[in-house]
Amino acid sequence: MEDVINYLRKVRRGAMFVIEGPSGTGKGTVIKEILARDPHIKFSVSVTTRAPRSNEQNGVDYYFISDAEYDRLRDEDAFYEYVDSQYGNRYGTLRSEVDSFINVGEDVLFDLDWMGARQMKEKAGADVVTIYLLPPSIKEVRRRLEGRGTDSREVIEKRMDMVLEKISHWSEFDYVVVNAELEDTVEKIRRIISGERMKRVRQLTGLQTLVDELVKEGEALRRA
Ligand code: 5GP
């Protein structure tokens, strides 16, 4: 029985989960918790031209690169999607972070803005599941941005200005979760992930093999 379950997991097609929400919704913390609790979902590390914050590590949170490197990667078509001017910085998803995992049944989690989510849907269609995190209030967004102590006042004001614009895209997403309480949010997203994993399209190869085996077994038993 264990073998059948392992086999089905391995031949399953992975899904791509895109999580978006304005700065200050607690998106980063939610993502870290999901990754820590689920060994079968891998984080797609984006590239960015912005400077690392004090708590960020190269290769873990982002690949921090120069504008020249960014131009080179874009010209080499190394990006699955990219957005060139977010807050004056540039971001991109590397193809190499994605394909090798999807094809062997591992899921990939992306922290992208709404433009990235839209591009992923256009390119990868049914493989992509998008989740929008809404803050419980705008006051709470400001409190979280100031509380993390990683951005300058100027950057915080810029991010606050963008919150309402960003929120206006909530209805383009497949799922919407209000992040009022971390544990509750993480569990809701974990339930979304496990439901999506069960979709027939993601299990096609494995299910066909299993059903063929069940039919053979059933016919043999009938003959016996
Ligand atoms: P931050 O600078 O706060 O880390 O990220 C700013 C915004 O850029 C966030 O909304 C984040 O989701 C988005 N972002 C990060 N990486 C990518 C990426 O590779 N592509 C796109 N489209 N957006 C990204």
Side-chain angles (χ1 to χ4, degrees):
M1 191 59 184
E2 191 53 24
D3 281 355
V4 173
I5 289 169
N6 271 334
Y7 171 76
L8 286 177
R9 199 185 60 67
K10 276 195 209 114
V11 295
R12 193 176 68 87
R13 187 166 172 74
M16 298 155 85
F17 293 95
V18 177
I19 302 195
E20 157 64 338
S23 304
T25 21
K27 183 171 58 162
T29 315
V30 168
I31 288 177
K32 283 205 170 82
E33 279 302 311
I34 289 165
L35 295 171
R37 294 178 200 194
D38 189 337
H40 300 300
I41 192 156
K42 194 224 162 231
F43 184 60
S44 162
V45 180
S46 293
V47 302
T48 182
T49 58
R50 81 157 163 74
R53 299 187 182 119
S54 55
N55 57 342
E56 287 178 330
Q57 264 179 285
N58 190 33
V60 176
D61 299 283
Y62 283 103
Y63 299 109
F64 295 97
I65 61 170
S66 64
D67 276 304
E69 279 176 278
Y70 188 97
D71 288 339
R72 184 179 57 77
L73 288 167
R74 193 195 45 203
D75 295 347
E76 283 172 1
D77 198 26
F79 292 141
Y80 215 97
E81 64 77 43
Y82 61 93
V83 52
D84 226 328
S85 59
Q86 183 83 346
Y87 313 115
N89 298 308
R90 307 158 88 191
Y91 299 84
T93 303
L94 292 168
R95 289 183 191 283
S96 53
E97 290 288 305
V98 183
D99 293 339
S100 52
F101 291 94
I102 298 299
N103 294 335
V104 295
E106 297 289 337
D107 300 315
V108 183
L109 187 66
F110 300 81
D111 175 349
L112 306 181
D113 71 340
W114 63 268
M115 287 173 270
R118 201 184 262 180
Q119 288 181 62
M120 294 298 264
K121 276 265 184 207
E122 279 163 14
K123 289 199 177 147
D127 284 338
V128 180
V129 179
T130 57
I131 303 168
Y132 198 90
L133 271 191
L134 276 175
S137 70
I138 301 298
K139 241 196 258 159
E140 181 61 19
V141 170
R142 179 173 280 278
R143 199 185 64 76
R144 286 183 187 159
L145 283 181
E146 288 174 347
R148 73 184 181 194
T150 49
D151 292 318
S152 66
R153 173 130 305 276
E154 194 195 342
V155 170
I156 291 178
E157 291 310 325
K158 245 198 225 162
R159 285 173 187 253
M160 284 304 297
D161 286 347
M162 296 207 51
V163 169
L164 294 183
E165 196 280 324
K166 281 194 137 207
I167 285 179
S168 70
H169 293 279
W170 70 279
S171 59
E172 294 174 27
F173 286 70
D174 298 321
Y175 295 90
V176 179
V177 178
V178 180
N179 184 25
E181 203 273 310
L182 176 67
E183 192 54 35
D184 178 55
T185 301
V186 170
E187 279 314 309
K188 280 185 177 139
I189 295 178
R190 277 166 59 74
R191 287 203 290 274
I192 293 169
I193 292 172
S194 65
E196 288 290 336
R197 280 178 175 152
M198 294 307 296
K199 279 197 170 156
R200 186 175 45 84
V201 289
R202 306 226 155 83
Q203 307 190 74
L204 275 185
T205 330
L207 281 185
Q208 191 57 60
T209 311
L210 175 65
V211 172
D212 290 347
E213 287 295 319
L214 293 177
V215 170
K216 250 196 262 167
E217 190 188 350
E219 283 171 352
L221 279 176
R222 214 167 32 204
R223 280 197 301 271

